[in-house]
Amino acid sequence: MKKTAAVIGGGVIGGGWAARFLLNGWDVRVSDPDPEAERKITQVLENARRSLPGLSDALLPPEGQLSFAASLEEAVEGAGWVQESVPERLNIKHAVYARVEAVTGGRTIIGSSTSGFRPSQLVEGAAHPGAIMVCHPFNPVYLLPLVELVPAPQATPAQIDEAREVIESLGMYPLHLKKEIDAHVADRFLEAVWREALWLVKDGIATTAEIDDAIRYGFGIRWAQMGLFETYRVAGGEAGMKHFMAQFGPALKWPWTKLMDVPEFNDELVNLISDQSDAQSGAHSIRALERIRDNNLVAMLRALKAQDQAAGALLNAHEKTIRAGTILNARAADIAEPALPVVTLHRAVPLDWTDYNGHMTESRYLDAFAQSTDRFMEIIGCDAEYIAAGGSYFTAETHIRHLGEVNAGDVICVRTRVLQGGGKKMHLWHEMYLGEELVATGEHFLLHVSLETRKPVDAGPAVDAALRRFADAQAGLPRPEGAGRAIGAPR
Ligand SMILES: NC(=O)c1ccc[n+]([C@@H]2O[C@H](COP(=O)([O-])OP(=O)(O)OC[C@H]3O[C@@H](n4cnc5c(N)ncnc54)[C@H](O)[C@@H]3O)[C@@H](O)[C@H]2O)c1
């Protein structure tokens, strides 16, 4: 059943949540008194549509419907989840919860995006405190997976499980904190780093640009993949964490940091920092910076995905749940009509597949077709287990034709035919479609090899039979236009 989320407060964060829900197939009703809210959310949604769908190698569900409710009550009525992202003022949040509870009677979870309030503060005076919990996301909410989940003590295990399930279903990672603390966990780090940075600028040690360089050329890259402790464990070398602690522990007593002192936030400091920031980044609009940020985040997340590490491992796990039960998880025996071309790829084109023109870059056509070939191999039983047992197909020849333009975010679908199959040989014909338009073809000739001798050998009987079933059923289809075509031959 289609689910509806009520997004209360549609600013930077509420807009990000709206996009996250919509692009994962939920309908979204927004309540925000600001007449500018619709324009602002539309902008966030535009960025999200450009970057999120292609992040995954599996196609997300069809986008849900966005609407703007005339009142908070209208937004909340019948919703399966309420996400509050109103300004960080406790009295505003309390007033919102009272109105939401009057409609939901505590039956619907109210997630709060609060960066700083503890759940026990949020639930003061609430009729159904167990249903109100901190669900603290990170900007941009549509790309970054972390949600700090901090329930109030009154929350039941069932309510916590429900929240966890919803967050996971959005491709996000619920970090369930068992004890509450002001500003949760992640923002406490950020505050510490922010404090140090303010001192460094104020004392004239480093500019805003130099501080950003210190992060992005070094530990910032390390943190995204291993965090703090695993990085330090590696830094301890063979002797590991204990050695690291012994080596660097005493340094904590040296005057490296100003720790809890905060420089006075006066006009002088604010101007110093904003002037340096203008000099550093003023040439770009915020919109341009958002796009640069999103391009980089997508590329980094997809790099981690290829390594199956950190947030990339989460993407892979989520993808498995999206694929489950779809055609993209089927095996040969599940395909009732082997005479028809088989869908071997269905995805949105990711940002890191495009070139300076915004088009899908040439090498990615081969990437897409190679994924289709891999998927077809899996369908006929040449899967990880079969390959581990010593057999596989190696590609001997490839011919790609580019017939139409493909851009970032476009949903492409590859249908695959078997032109010849059996014994050592597999001759595949991939057609890539954008809607009904044929945009590329890929013709691939593969040989089955023994991974031990690296020489061609016949495929195992089960794989051979599955391949021949497609080859025989498709033998009667007309030969595709362009198959076997020599490069440069007249069309
Ligand atoms: N900005 C961040 O980086 C960030 C990150 C994580 C969490 N948060 C948290 O998210 C929440 C929202 O922050 P933001 O940065 O999106 O603020 P924002 O000012 O961009 O958006 C707040 C929105 O709430 C609307 N609003 C005000 N009163 C309302 C009401 N009674 N009902 C419905 N809408 C109302 C405002 O019109 C505005 O559009 C805060 O609790 C903040 O701590 C912010």
Side-chain angles (χ1 to χ4, degrees):
M1 201 189 74
K2 202 99 181 271
K3 296 178 198 139
T4 301
V7 165
I8 312 301
V12 176
I13 294 303
W17 275 112
R20 178 65 88 161
F21 277 107
L22 286 166
L23 294 175
N24 279 284
W26 289 57
D27 288 340
V28 170
R29 286 191 229 124
V30 177
S31 166
D32 192 315
D34 181 358
E36 286 287 285
E38 183 161 355
R39 182 187 60 78
K40 287 196 218 156
I41 289 195
T42 308
Q43 276 187 0
V44 179
L45 194 52
E46 221 174 87
N47 278 350
R49 284 195 185 114
R50 186 178 159 268
S51 55
L52 178 65
L55 188 58
S56 166
D57 293 311
L59 195 64
L60 296 179
E63 190 177 316
Q65 267 212 311
L66 172 66
S67 57
F68 291 84
S71 67
L72 178 145
E73 286 72 14
E74 188 187 305
V76 168
E77 182 66 53
W81 182 269
V82 178
Q83 186 67 33
E84 168 273 306
S85 310
V86 300
E88 190 73 347
R89 299 236 313 271
L90 205 47
N91 61 334
I92 303 184
K93 295 199 187 272
H94 283 161
V96 164
Y97 303 151
R99 287 174 65 185
V100 174
E101 284 189 320
V103 178
T104 63
R107 287 178 298 277
T108 312
I109 304 279
I110 307 172
S112 171
S113 300
T114 180
S115 305
F117 294 121
R118 286 174 276 118
S120 59
Q121 294 172 290
L122 297 180
V123 304
E124 280 161 10
H128 306 280
I132 300 172
M133 43 190 92
V134 171
C135 292
H136 176 231
F138 291 78
N139 193 32
V141 182
Y142 52 83
L143 285 181
L144 295 187
L146 181 62
V147 177
E148 290 178 304
L149 173 64
V150 203
Q154 295 90 336
T156 63
Q159 284 171 315
I160 298 171
D161 283 349
E162 185 187 337
R164 214 199 308 253
E165 274 166 32
V166 168
I167 293 166
E168 283 172 354
S169 76
L170 299 170
M172 300 176 92
Y173 183 78
L175 181 66
H176 177 191
L177 302 181
K178 318 293 186 304
K179 285 194 178 175
E180 65 170 26
I181 183 172
D182 294 317
H184 330 309
V185 170
D187 276 358
R188 295 187 72 100
F189 288 135
L190 295 182
E191 281 293 309
V193 173
W194 176 229
R195 247 187 334 259
E196 290 297 322
L198 292 178
W199 277 120
L200 291 169
V201 178
K202 179 181 161 55
D203 291 350
I205 311 285
T207 62
T208 58
E210 286 165 341
I211 288 172
D212 285 352
D213 286 347
I215 296 171
R216 58 192 167 191
Y217 290 127
F219 69 81
I221 303 177
R222 268 193 335 215
W223 278 6
Q225 49 87 45
M226 274 191 174
L228 182 67
F229 285 106
E230 205 161 44
T231 298
Y232 280 174
R233 187 185 175 86
V234 177
E238 297 273 306
M241 204 63 193
K242 278 201 171 141
H243 173 67
F244 181 84
M245 305 269 293
Q247 195 177 2
F248 292 102
L252 292 177
K253 297 236 169 78
W254 301 345
W256 274 12
T257 72
K258 300 213 181 192
L259 294 176
M260 294 308 293
D261 285 348
V262 182
E264 198 193 333
F265 228 69
N266 53 23
D267 286 352
E268 197 187 342
L269 181 61
V270 171
N271 289 338
L272 180 66
I273 288 187
S274 66
D275 288 351
Q276 288 190 7
S277 174
D278 286 350
Q280 181 189 351
S281 318
H284 300 291
S285 68
I286 293 299
R287 200 120 171 83
L289 287 172
E290 280 172 353
R291 291 195 167 216
I292 293 170
R293 175 199 65 192
D294 289 0
N295 291 355
N296 292 338
L297 288 175
V298 167
M300 285 159 70
L301 285 164
R302 288 182 54 74
L304 289 170
K305 186 171 186 296
Q307 301 302 318
D308 201 26
Q309 292 288 325
L314 182 77
L315 277 174
N316 285 330
H318 184 53
E319 211 168 281
K320 258 195 186 164
T321 66
I322 299 177
R323 282 183 203 276
T326 72
I327 178 86
L328 289 171
N329 217 32
R331 291 303 184 98
D334 306 319
I335 295 174
E337 297 268 12
L340 298 176
V342 183
V343 174
T344 48
L345 186 96
H346 199 190
R347 60 160 310 135
V349 172
L351 284 174
D352 64 333
W353 277 21
T354 53
D355 59 18
Y356 46 89
N357 290 320
H359 299 166
M360 188 157 99
T361 206
E362 205 179 327
S363 59
R364 297 303 183 174
Y365 286 82
L366 179 56
D367 200 340
F369 288 136
Q371 286 182 27
S372 283
T373 299
D374 279 349
R375 173 68 191 122
F376 189 77
M377 282 164 55
E378 185 183 56
I379 289 172
I380 59 172
C382 183
D383 53 13
E385 204 182 317
Y386 180 90
I387 293 168
S392 187
Y393 284 94
F394 282 3
T395 306
E397 194 171 340
T398 291
H399 181 192
I400 293 172
R401 294 187 310 157
H402 304 269
L403 306 171
E405 272 185 36
V406 178
N407 294 302
D410 283 349
V411 174
I412 50 173
C413 180
V414 175
R415 296 178 213 149
T416 299
R417 270 182 62 181
V418 181
L419 297 183
Q420 187 189 6
K424 301 182 182 66
K425 296 178 180 175
M426 179 158 74
H427 186 172
L428 297 180
W429 176 257
H430 299 304
E431 293 187 342
M432 183 187 290
Y433 288 89
L434 189 63
E436 289 307 306
E437 185 195 355
L438 180 65
V439 287
T441 62
E443 186 172 359
H444 304 257
F445 187 75
L446 297 100
L447 285 170
H448 187 274
V449 294
S450 153
L451 292 174
E452 200 187 323
T453 63
R454 320 302 277 185
K455 298 257 167 23
V457 288
D458 285 350
V463 167
D464 192 62
L467 177 60
R468 283 179 196 274
R469 176 169 169 255
F470 287 105
D472 293 347
Q474 295 177 6
L477 298 178
R479 192 165 173 83
E481 185 278 317
R485 182 177 177 275
I487 287 183
R491 292 194 177 178

